[in-house]
């Protein structure tokens, strides 16, 4: 049986919208969502390159009570995806994680199957071409999430899940053998009804630690790792308010080189941020509002200002569709007010990744009531390229360098701003972007080989970016 609150959502949401009018363009930095069919009840999503073509693909755990599957959608490299191909796993798949479990250089999948009667983790070994071998199941107590870590420091990926009910909870760790198989699960007590977990080194001892979001006890459990696959007793941290913490992520939000925590609180419609002290302890939670029922969470630098931001997928009320909230970070551990975007119905999972190759973080949500994933491309992205009027050229000959700046997402806005041209680290000058191009002419290049760098400044609509370096040859 799935989480009771999730089951109620699904029952009440018999009518849903898979596509809704987008919010105004000035609401944020993500384009209108595009949906791709995944399977019945997409409840977990991950992004990686499964066929080695340099384009990110998606893996989706489909929470089907009768025919659980994991679907793979191969990416086209431009933010679009091919039709899903599904692989059987256990019943009620909740989440999916990615790693190379057998060391063959191909990415594999691990799926948490939350059936109360035959709970397991399904491992599907990748073939390197985007397809996967048949699932092998490993018994665990009813898992609600799965993630990857190296908890005993042997360089082999291990698995961690969480399980529990309305009176207890546990972290489960399955140590990897290195051949794609796993040892029996070890359990460690956490809070009540844990829903997700994240991994990081919270005290700087080079041993991986774990944080668990405990839905019913309204707190986080931090378990410091001993480095041998076992953990110290959990220390709990309140998240504040009438909260139900569901999803937790780990990152350094204030730049002090200490890992911090951020967790979604579906009861209070907020995210809670707990700054790390560097010794494995954390400060008091500070809360930031989001849209209704923030379920999953993703971290990325969405405006590429060097400060980490947060996005949540918001389950919303049944029948009213779902949304995404983006909270831009200030770099000191605080966040700006959320900006909201429409997504598919009941987005219960989320991942941030560059899906169209413009080096900007895009978002994908798994929409459990819509049978789809929603792709929201970052509208701040650009594609840059620099050309030379004469290459090779001669000493003293005027050479014009032209950098073309093109929006990576079609929103009707054209990039403006300036491009600064450099010869190595020496600035040649800056020129405005006019009709998508900026040009600079120089006759000062000396004999030899030069690396011409072009930096686009960005503006209110587009993030700063760098063009690939151009090699300019100057002959005598």
């Amino acid at each position: 049986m799935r989480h009771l609150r999730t089951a109620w959502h699904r029952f009440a949401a018999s009518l849903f919208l898979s596509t809704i009018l987008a919010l105004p363009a000035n609401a944020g930095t993500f384009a209108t969502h595009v949906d791709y069919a995944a399977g019945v009840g997409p409840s977990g999503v991950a992004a990686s390159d499964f066929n080695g073509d340099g384009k990110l693909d998606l893996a989706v755990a489909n929470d089907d009570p009768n025919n659980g599957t994991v679907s793979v959608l191969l990416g086209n490299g431009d933010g679009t995806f091919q039709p899903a191909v599904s692989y059987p796993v256990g019943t009620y798949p909740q989440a999916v994680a990615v790693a190379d479990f057998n060391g063959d250089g191909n990415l594999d999948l691990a799926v948490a199957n939350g059936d109360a009667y035959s709970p397991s983790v399904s491992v599907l070994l990748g073939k390197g071409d985007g397809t996967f071998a048949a699932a092998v199941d490993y018994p665990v107590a009813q898992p609600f999430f799965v993630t990857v870590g190296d908890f005993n420091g042997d360089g082999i990926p291990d698995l961690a899940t969480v399980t529990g009910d309305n009176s207890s909870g546990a972290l489960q760790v399955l140590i990897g053998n290195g051949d794609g198989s796993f040892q029996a699960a070890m359990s460690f007590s956490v809070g009540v009804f844990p829903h997700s977990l994240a991994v990081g080194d919270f005290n700087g001892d080079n041993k991986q630690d774990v944080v668990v979001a405990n839905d019913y006890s309204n707190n986080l459990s931090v378990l410091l790792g001993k480095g041998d696959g076992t953990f110290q007793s959990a220390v709990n941290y309140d998240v504040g308010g009438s909260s139900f913490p569901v999803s937790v992520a780990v990152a350094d939000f204030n730049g002090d080189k200490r890992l911090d925590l951020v967790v979604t609180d579906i009861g209070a419609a907020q995210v809670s941020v707990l700054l790390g002290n560097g010794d494995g302890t954390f400060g008091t939670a500070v809360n930031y509002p989001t849209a209704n029922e923030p379920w999953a969470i993703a971290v990325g630098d969405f405006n590429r200002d060097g400060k980490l931001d947060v996005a949540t997928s918001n389950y919303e009320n049944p029948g009213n569709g779902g949304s995404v909230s983006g909270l831009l970070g200030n770099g000191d551990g605080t966040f700006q007010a959320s900006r909201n975007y429409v997504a598919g119905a009941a987005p219960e999972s989320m991942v941030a990744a560059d899906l169209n190759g413009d080096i900007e973080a895009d978002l994908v949500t798994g929409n459990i009531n819509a049978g789809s994933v929603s792709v929201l491309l970052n509208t701040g992205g650009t594609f840059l390229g620099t050309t030379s009027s004469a290459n090779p050229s001669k000493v003293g000959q005027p050479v014009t360098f032209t950098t073309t700046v093109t929006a990576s997402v079609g929103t009707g806005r054209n990039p403006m701003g300036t491009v600064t041209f450099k010869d190595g680290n020496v600035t040649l000058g800056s020129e405005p972007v006019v009709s998508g191009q900026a040009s600079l002419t120089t006759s000062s290049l000396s004999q030899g080989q030069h690396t011409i760098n072009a930096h686009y400044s960005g503006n209110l609509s587009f993030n700063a970016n760098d063009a690939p370096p151009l090699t300019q040859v100057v002959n005598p």
Side-chain angles (χ1 to χ4, degrees):
M1 179 181 295
R2 280 184 49 78
H3 192 302
L4 295 179
R5 186 178 296 111
T6 306
W8 180 85
H9 277 315
R10 183 182 301 133
F11 172 78
S14 58
L15 178 64
F16 57 84
L17 301 177
S18 61
T19 304
I20 310 173
L21 290 178
L23 298 176
N26 61 3
T29 59
F30 293 94
T32 303
H33 70 102
V34 177
D35 294 343
Y36 297 86
V40 176
S43 60
V45 62
S48 287
D49 180 7
F50 299 125
N51 58 354
D53 63 354
K55 305 169 184 177
L56 285 185
D57 313 309
L58 301 178
V60 185
N62 300 306
D63 183 18
D64 188 340
N66 300 314
N67 185 25
T69 62
V70 59
S71 295
V72 175
L73 294 81
L74 296 180
N76 297 316
D78 58 358
T80 66
F81 292 86
Q82 300 174 32
V85 177
S86 296
Y87 300 84
V89 292
T91 308
Y92 285 120
Q94 303 293 293
V96 59
V98 179
D100 179 6
F101 298 127
N102 59 352
D104 65 353
N106 301 325
L107 290 177
D108 312 310
L109 302 177
V111 180
N113 305 309
D115 187 3
Y117 300 103
S118 57
S120 66
V121 173
S122 292
V123 174
L124 299 87
L125 298 180
K127 299 179 180 179
D129 59 358
T131 65
F132 293 84
V136 176
D137 293 342
Y138 296 85
V140 293
Q142 186 177 13
F144 301 114
F145 194 80
V146 63
T147 194
V148 176
D150 180 10
F151 303 116
N152 60 351
D154 62 356
I156 298 171
D158 309 313
L159 295 175
T161 73
V162 285
T163 185
D165 52 28
N166 57 8
S167 63
S168 65
L171 163 71
Q172 302 176 103
V173 174
L174 296 84
I175 298 298
N177 296 317
D179 58 358
S181 66
F182 292 85
Q183 301 174 28
M186 299 180 289
S187 293
F188 306 88
S189 295
V190 295
V192 178
F193 222 141
H195 193 277
S196 71
L197 71 154
V199 177
D201 180 6
F202 303 138
N203 58 353
D205 64 354
N206 295 317
K207 301 171 184 177
Q208 289 195 338
D209 311 311
V210 169
V211 57
V212 177
N214 304 307
D215 193 349
Y216 274 23
S217 57
N218 300 343
N219 61 16
L220 298 175
S221 292
V222 173
L223 298 88
L224 298 181
K226 298 180 180 180
D228 59 358
T230 65
F231 294 84
Q232 301 178 30
S233 297
V235 176
N236 297 328
Y237 294 83
D238 291 331
V239 295
S242 57
S243 308
F244 295 98
V246 171
S247 295
V248 62
V250 174
D252 178 10
F253 294 116
N254 59 353
D256 64 355
K257 303 187 186 306
R258 302 169 180 174
L259 290 180
D260 311 310
L261 308 178
V262 60
V263 59
T264 58
D265 306 335
I266 62 173
Q270 65 187 18
V271 294
S272 300
V273 177
L274 295 82
L275 297 181
N277 297 316
D279 58 358
T281 65
F282 295 86
T284 303
V286 178
N287 302 319
Y288 299 88
T290 65
N292 289 339
E293 300 182 40
W295 201 275
I297 196 163
V299 176
D301 185 2
F302 302 125
N303 59 349
R304 278 215 306 121
D305 62 353
K307 305 168 185 177
L308 286 179
D309 313 310
V310 167
T312 66
S313 63
N314 309 309
Y315 201 103
E316 295 283 346
N317 296 318
N320 292 341
S323 69
V324 167
S325 292
L327 296 86
L328 297 179
N330 296 316
D332 59 358
T334 65
F335 292 84
Q336 301 174 30
S338 67
R339 297 179 177 183
N340 300 321
Y341 314 84
V342 174
E348 200 173 88
S349 57
M350 169 182 278
V351 65
D354 177 14
L355 304 176
N356 58 350
D358 62 356
I359 71 173
E360 306 296 343
D362 309 307
L363 297 175
V364 182
T365 65
N367 310 314
I368 194 166
N369 282 345
S372 67
V373 292
S374 290
V375 173
L376 294 86
L377 295 179
N378 192 322
T379 63
T382 54
F383 294 123
L384 274 65
T386 301
T387 60
S388 169
S389 62
N391 194 4
S393 60
K394 296 180 179 181
V395 172
Q397 177 183 355
V399 178
T400 299
F401 298 110
T402 300
T403 296
T404 301
V405 186
T406 306
S408 61
V409 179
T411 61
R413 293 176 294 177
N414 295 317
M416 301 179 67
T418 61
V419 172
T420 299
F421 295 87
K422 290 187 175 182
D423 177 8
N425 294 321
V426 178
T427 299
L428 298 175
S430 297
E431 297 294 337
V433 177
V434 179
S435 299
Q437 290 188 330
S439 296
L440 178 141
T441 301
T442 181
S443 56
S444 63
L445 299 180
S446 60
Q447 179 182 341
Q449 184 171 289
H450 298 257
T451 300
I452 306 300
N453 299 303
H455 174 75
Y456 169 56
S457 65
N459 60 9
L460 293 178
S461 298
F462 295 93
N463 301 335
N465 202 354
D466 293 302
L470 170 72
T471 299
Q472 176 72 30
V473 176
V474 181
N475 291 328

